[in-house]
Short mmCIF file of all heavy atoms in Angstrom, two decimals:
data_model
loop_
_atom_site.label_atom_id
_atom_site.label_comp_id
_atom_site.label_asym_id
_atom_site.label_seq_id
_atom_site.Cartn_x
_atom_site.Cartn_y
_atom_site.Cartn_z
N PHE K 92 16.96 -1.82 37.56
CA PHE K 92 17.24 -1.41 36.18
C PHE K 92 17.13 0.11 36.00
O PHE K 92 17.11 0.60 34.88
CB PHE K 92 16.33 -2.17 35.20
CG PHE K 92 16.69 -3.63 35.12
CD1 PHE K 92 16.00 -4.57 35.88
CD2 PHE K 92 17.75 -4.05 34.34
CE1 PHE K 92 16.35 -5.91 35.83
CE2 PHE K 92 18.11 -5.39 34.28
CZ PHE K 92 17.42 -6.33 35.04
N ASP K 93 17.01 0.81 37.13
CA ASP K 93 17.06 2.27 37.13
C ASP K 93 16.01 2.88 36.17
O ASP K 93 16.31 3.80 35.40
CB ASP K 93 18.48 2.72 36.72
CG ASP K 93 18.75 4.16 37.07
OD1 ASP K 93 18.04 4.69 37.95
OD2 ASP K 93 19.64 4.77 36.44
N ILE K 94 14.80 2.31 36.23
CA ILE K 94 13.71 2.75 35.34
C ILE K 94 13.36 4.22 35.65
O ILE K 94 13.05 4.56 36.79
CB ILE K 94 12.45 1.86 35.55
CG1 ILE K 94 12.78 0.38 35.30
CG2 ILE K 94 11.29 2.33 34.69
CD1 ILE K 94 13.23 0.03 33.92
N ASP K 95 13.42 5.07 34.64
CA ASP K 95 13.18 6.51 34.85
C ASP K 95 11.74 6.79 35.31
O ASP K 95 11.52 7.65 36.16
CB ASP K 95 13.42 7.28 33.55
CG ASP K 95 14.90 7.40 33.23
OD1 ASP K 95 15.72 6.96 34.07
OD2 ASP K 95 15.24 7.91 32.15
N ASN K 96 10.81 6.12 34.67
CA ASN K 96 9.41 6.47 34.90
C ASN K 96 8.70 5.46 35.77
O ASN K 96 7.65 4.91 35.40
CB ASN K 96 8.69 6.63 33.56
CG ASN K 96 9.41 7.61 32.66
OD1 ASN K 96 9.66 8.75 33.04
ND2 ASN K 96 9.78 7.14 31.47
N TYR K 97 9.27 5.18 36.93
CA TYR K 97 8.57 4.38 37.93
C TYR K 97 7.90 5.36 38.87
O TYR K 97 8.56 6.27 39.41
CB TYR K 97 9.57 3.48 38.68
CG TYR K 97 8.94 2.84 39.90
CD1 TYR K 97 7.98 1.85 39.75
CD2 TYR K 97 9.29 3.24 41.19
CE1 TYR K 97 7.38 1.28 40.86
CE2 TYR K 97 8.69 2.67 42.30
CZ TYR K 97 7.74 1.69 42.12
OH TYR K 97 7.13 1.13 43.22
N PHE K 98 6.60 5.20 39.06
CA PHE K 98 5.87 6.16 39.88
C PHE K 98 5.36 5.51 41.16
O PHE K 98 4.40 4.76 41.16
CB PHE K 98 4.70 6.76 39.08
CG PHE K 98 5.18 7.55 37.90
CD1 PHE K 98 5.20 6.99 36.62
CD2 PHE K 98 5.65 8.84 38.07
CE1 PHE K 98 5.66 7.72 35.54
CE2 PHE K 98 6.12 9.58 36.99
CZ PHE K 98 6.13 9.02 35.71
N GLU K 99 6.06 5.80 42.23
CA GLU K 99 5.74 5.23 43.54
C GLU K 99 4.49 5.91 44.10
O GLU K 99 4.13 7.03 43.69
CB GLU K 99 6.96 5.43 44.47
CG GLU K 99 6.87 4.77 45.82
CD GLU K 99 6.61 3.28 45.76
OE1 GLU K 99 5.43 2.89 45.74
OE2 GLU K 99 7.59 2.50 45.73
N LEU K 100 3.85 5.22 45.02
CA LEU K 100 2.74 5.79 45.76
C LEU K 100 3.11 7.20 46.22
O LEU K 100 4.18 7.40 46.77
CB LEU K 100 2.48 4.91 46.99
CG LEU K 100 1.14 5.02 47.67
CD1 LEU K 100 0.04 4.45 46.79
CD2 LEU K 100 1.17 4.30 49.01
N GLY K 101 2.24 8.15 45.96
CA GLY K 101 2.56 9.54 46.29
C GLY K 101 2.82 10.34 45.03
O GLY K 101 2.45 11.51 44.93
N GLN K 102 3.47 9.69 44.07
CA GLN K 102 3.65 10.33 42.76
C GLN K 102 2.75 9.71 41.70
O GLN K 102 2.60 10.23 40.62
CB GLN K 102 5.09 10.19 42.25
CG GLN K 102 6.09 11.08 42.94
CD GLN K 102 6.58 10.45 44.22
OE1 GLN K 102 6.95 9.28 44.23
NE2 GLN K 102 6.57 11.20 45.29
N MET K 103 2.19 8.58 42.05
CA MET K 103 1.48 7.82 41.00
C MET K 103 0.08 8.37 40.76
O MET K 103 -0.39 9.30 41.40
CB MET K 103 1.42 6.33 41.33
CG MET K 103 0.88 5.97 42.70
SD MET K 103 -0.90 6.07 42.84
CE MET K 103 -1.39 4.48 42.26
N GLY K 104 -0.55 7.78 39.79
CA GLY K 104 -1.94 8.05 39.45
C GLY K 104 -2.37 6.89 38.59
O GLY K 104 -1.58 5.97 38.37
N ILE K 105 -3.57 6.93 38.08
CA ILE K 105 -4.01 5.86 37.18
C ILE K 105 -3.24 6.03 35.87
O ILE K 105 -3.23 7.11 35.27
CB ILE K 105 -5.53 5.90 36.98
CG1 ILE K 105 -6.22 5.70 38.35
CG2 ILE K 105 -5.96 4.83 35.99
CD1 ILE K 105 -7.72 5.82 38.32
N GLU K 106 -2.56 4.96 35.47
CA GLU K 106 -1.54 5.03 34.42
C GLU K 106 -1.94 5.80 33.16
O GLU K 106 -1.16 6.59 32.64
CB GLU K 106 -1.10 3.59 34.04
CG GLU K 106 -2.27 2.70 33.67
CD GLU K 106 -1.93 1.20 33.71
OE1 GLU K 106 -0.96 0.80 33.07
OE2 GLU K 106 -2.66 0.43 34.37
N HIS K 107 -3.18 5.58 32.69
CA HIS K 107 -3.56 6.19 31.41
C HIS K 107 -3.84 7.68 31.53
O HIS K 107 -3.85 8.40 30.53
CB HIS K 107 -4.77 5.46 30.83
CG HIS K 107 -4.57 3.98 30.80
ND1 HIS K 107 -3.52 3.41 30.14
CD2 HIS K 107 -5.25 2.96 31.39
CE1 HIS K 107 -3.57 2.09 30.33
NE2 HIS K 107 -4.60 1.80 31.08
N ALA K 108 -4.09 8.14 32.75
CA ALA K 108 -4.22 9.58 32.98
C ALA K 108 -2.85 10.18 33.30
O ALA K 108 -2.55 11.32 32.95
CB ALA K 108 -5.19 9.85 34.11
N LEU K 109 -2.02 9.39 33.96
CA LEU K 109 -0.74 9.89 34.47
C LEU K 109 0.29 10.18 33.36
O LEU K 109 0.95 11.22 33.37
CB LEU K 109 -0.15 8.88 35.46
CG LEU K 109 1.12 9.32 36.18
CD1 LEU K 109 0.80 10.43 37.19
CD2 LEU K 109 1.79 8.15 36.89
N LEU K 110 0.44 9.24 32.42
CA LEU K 110 1.51 9.38 31.43
C LEU K 110 1.37 10.64 30.57
O LEU K 110 2.35 11.38 30.39
CB LEU K 110 1.63 8.12 30.55
CG LEU K 110 2.71 7.14 31.03
CD1 LEU K 110 2.45 6.66 32.44
CD2 LEU K 110 2.86 5.96 30.08
N PRO K 111 0.18 10.94 30.03
CA PRO K 111 0.04 12.20 29.27
C PRO K 111 0.29 13.42 30.15
O PRO K 111 0.95 14.38 29.73
CB PRO K 111 -1.41 12.18 28.80
CG PRO K 111 -1.83 10.76 28.85
CD PRO K 111 -1.07 10.16 29.99
N GLU K 112 -0.20 13.36 31.39
CA GLU K 112 -0.03 14.48 32.32
C GLU K 112 1.45 14.76 32.58
O GLU K 112 1.87 15.89 32.76
CB GLU K 112 -0.75 14.12 33.62
CG GLU K 112 -0.79 15.21 34.66
CD GLU K 112 -1.41 14.69 35.95
OE1 GLU K 112 -2.64 14.53 36.00
OE2 GLU K 112 -0.65 14.39 36.90
N LYS K 113 2.27 13.69 32.60
CA LYS K 113 3.71 13.83 32.85
C LYS K 113 4.49 14.16 31.56
O LYS K 113 5.72 14.18 31.57
CB LYS K 113 4.28 12.53 33.44
CG LYS K 113 3.72 12.19 34.82
CD LYS K 113 4.37 13.01 35.90
CE LYS K 113 3.82 12.64 37.27
NZ LYS K 113 4.26 13.56 38.32
N GLY K 114 3.78 14.34 30.46
CA GLY K 114 4.44 14.68 29.20
C GLY K 114 5.18 13.51 28.57
O GLY K 114 6.08 13.69 27.76
N LEU K 115 4.76 12.29 28.94
CA LEU K 115 5.48 11.10 28.44
C LEU K 115 4.89 10.54 27.14
O LEU K 115 5.40 9.56 26.60
CB LEU K 115 5.47 10.01 29.52
CG LEU K 115 6.31 10.33 30.76
CD1 LEU K 115 6.05 9.33 31.87
CD2 LEU K 115 7.79 10.38 30.41
N ILE K 116 3.83 11.16 26.66
CA ILE K 116 3.20 10.68 25.43
C ILE K 116 3.24 11.77 24.37
O ILE K 116 2.81 12.90 24.63
CB ILE K 116 1.72 10.29 25.69
CG1 ILE K 116 1.60 9.26 26.83
CG2 ILE K 116 1.05 9.79 24.40
CD1 ILE K 116 2.28 7.94 26.58
N LYS K 117 3.74 11.43 23.19
CA LYS K 117 3.82 12.41 22.12
C LYS K 117 3.12 11.87 20.86
O LYS K 117 3.05 10.66 20.66
CB LYS K 117 5.28 12.72 21.79
CG LYS K 117 6.09 13.24 22.99
CD LYS K 117 7.34 13.97 22.58
CE LYS K 117 8.43 13.07 22.05
NZ LYS K 117 9.06 12.20 23.05
N PRO K 118 2.62 12.78 20.01
CA PRO K 118 2.01 12.33 18.75
C PRO K 118 2.98 11.47 17.94
O PRO K 118 4.20 11.62 18.07
CB PRO K 118 1.72 13.65 18.02
CG PRO K 118 1.60 14.67 19.09
CD PRO K 118 2.57 14.24 20.16
N SER K 119 2.43 10.61 17.12
CA SER K 119 3.18 9.76 16.18
C SER K 119 4.00 8.66 16.85
O SER K 119 4.69 7.91 16.17
CB SER K 119 4.13 10.58 15.30
OG SER K 119 3.40 11.57 14.63
N GLU K 120 3.93 8.58 18.17
CA GLU K 120 4.70 7.54 18.86
C GLU K 120 3.94 6.21 18.87
O GLU K 120 2.73 6.17 18.66
CB GLU K 120 4.97 7.95 20.31
CG GLU K 120 6.01 9.05 20.42
CD GLU K 120 6.46 9.29 21.86
OE1 GLU K 120 5.72 8.95 22.80
OE2 GLU K 120 7.56 9.80 22.03
N ILE K 121 4.69 5.15 19.16
CA ILE K 121 4.06 3.86 19.45
C ILE K 121 4.24 3.57 20.93
O ILE K 121 5.37 3.52 21.44
CB ILE K 121 4.67 2.72 18.61
CG1 ILE K 121 4.27 2.89 17.13
CG2 ILE K 121 4.21 1.35 19.12
CD1 ILE K 121 4.74 1.79 16.21
N ILE K 122 3.10 3.44 21.60
CA ILE K 122 3.11 3.14 23.04
C ILE K 122 2.38 1.81 23.23
O ILE K 122 1.23 1.66 22.80
CB ILE K 122 2.40 4.23 23.86
CG1 ILE K 122 3.06 5.59 23.62
CG2 ILE K 122 2.41 3.90 25.34
CD1 ILE K 122 2.31 6.48 22.69
N ILE K 123 3.06 0.86 23.86
CA ILE K 123 2.39 -0.40 24.17
C ILE K 123 2.30 -0.52 25.69
O ILE K 123 3.19 -0.06 26.41
CB ILE K 123 3.14 -1.61 23.57
CG1 ILE K 123 4.59 -1.68 24.08
CG2 ILE K 123 3.10 -1.58 22.06
CD1 ILE K 123 5.29 -2.99 23.78
N GLY K 124 1.21 -1.09 26.15
CA GLY K 124 1.05 -1.20 27.59
C GLY K 124 0.38 -2.51 27.97
O GLY K 124 -0.58 -2.93 27.32
N ALA K 125 0.92 -3.13 29.02
CA ALA K 125 0.28 -4.35 29.52
C ALA K 125 -0.91 -3.93 30.38
O ALA K 125 -0.92 -4.07 31.60
CB ALA K 125 1.29 -5.18 30.30
N ASP K 126 -1.87 -3.40 29.69
CA ASP K 126 -3.15 -2.98 30.27
C ASP K 126 -4.00 -2.61 29.06
O ASP K 126 -3.59 -1.81 28.22
CB ASP K 126 -2.98 -1.76 31.18
CG ASP K 126 -4.29 -1.45 31.90
OD1 ASP K 126 -5.28 -1.11 31.21
OD2 ASP K 126 -4.34 -1.55 33.13
N SER K 127 -5.17 -3.21 28.96
CA SER K 127 -5.95 -3.08 27.72
C SER K 127 -6.33 -1.64 27.41
O SER K 127 -6.53 -1.29 26.25
CB SER K 127 -7.20 -3.95 27.79
OG SER K 127 -8.01 -3.57 28.87
N HIS K 128 -6.43 -0.79 28.43
CA HIS K 128 -6.85 0.59 28.16
C HIS K 128 -5.70 1.52 27.77
O HIS K 128 -5.85 2.74 27.74
CB HIS K 128 -7.65 1.13 29.34
CG HIS K 128 -8.95 0.40 29.48
ND1 HIS K 128 -9.15 -0.56 30.45
CD2 HIS K 128 -10.07 0.42 28.73
CE1 HIS K 128 -10.36 -1.09 30.28
NE2 HIS K 128 -10.93 -0.52 29.25
N THR K 129 -4.58 0.93 27.41
CA THR K 129 -3.45 1.71 26.89
C THR K 129 -3.84 2.42 25.59
O THR K 129 -3.17 3.36 25.17
CB THR K 129 -2.23 0.79 26.68
OG1 THR K 129 -1.95 0.15 27.92
CG2 THR K 129 -1.00 1.55 26.25
N CYS K 130 -4.93 1.98 24.97
CA CYS K 130 -5.42 2.66 23.76
C CYS K 130 -5.78 4.13 24.01
O CYS K 130 -5.97 4.89 23.05
CB CYS K 130 -6.60 1.90 23.17
SG CYS K 130 -7.83 1.42 24.38
N THR K 131 -5.84 4.55 25.26
CA THR K 131 -6.21 5.93 25.62
C THR K 131 -5.36 6.99 24.91
O THR K 131 -5.85 8.08 24.60
CB THR K 131 -6.04 6.12 27.15
OG1 THR K 131 -6.75 5.08 27.82
CG2 THR K 131 -6.58 7.46 27.61
N PHE K 132 -4.08 6.71 24.69
CA PHE K 132 -3.16 7.75 24.20
C PHE K 132 -3.40 8.13 22.74
O PHE K 132 -2.79 9.07 22.23
CB PHE K 132 -1.70 7.34 24.43
CG PHE K 132 -1.44 6.87 25.84
CD1 PHE K 132 -0.75 5.69 26.09
CD2 PHE K 132 -1.91 7.60 26.92
CE1 PHE K 132 -0.53 5.24 27.39
CE2 PHE K 132 -1.69 7.18 28.23
CZ PHE K 132 -1.00 5.99 28.46
N GLY K 133 -4.27 7.40 22.06
CA GLY K 133 -4.65 7.78 20.70
C GLY K 133 -5.28 9.16 20.63
O GLY K 133 -5.30 9.80 19.58
N ALA K 134 -5.77 9.64 21.77
CA ALA K 134 -6.34 11.00 21.82
C ALA K 134 -5.27 12.03 21.47
O ALA K 134 -5.59 13.13 21.02
CB ALA K 134 -6.91 11.27 23.21
#
Side-chain angles (χ1 to χ4, degrees):
Chain K
F92 291 96
D93 197 21
I94 303 297
D95 286 355
N96 306 305
Y97 169 70
F98 296 98
E99 187 55 271
L100 199 70
Q102 285 85 48
M103 52 77 86
I105 299 176
E106 54 198 307
H107 310 302
L109 186 70
L110 264 59
E112 185 186 285
K113 295 281 182 190
L115 292 170
I116 305 298
K117 303 200 287 290
S119 305
E120 287 190 337
I121 290 183
I122 302 103
I123 58 168
D126 187 296
S127 60
H128 294 104
T129 305
C130 46
T131 308
F132 310 132

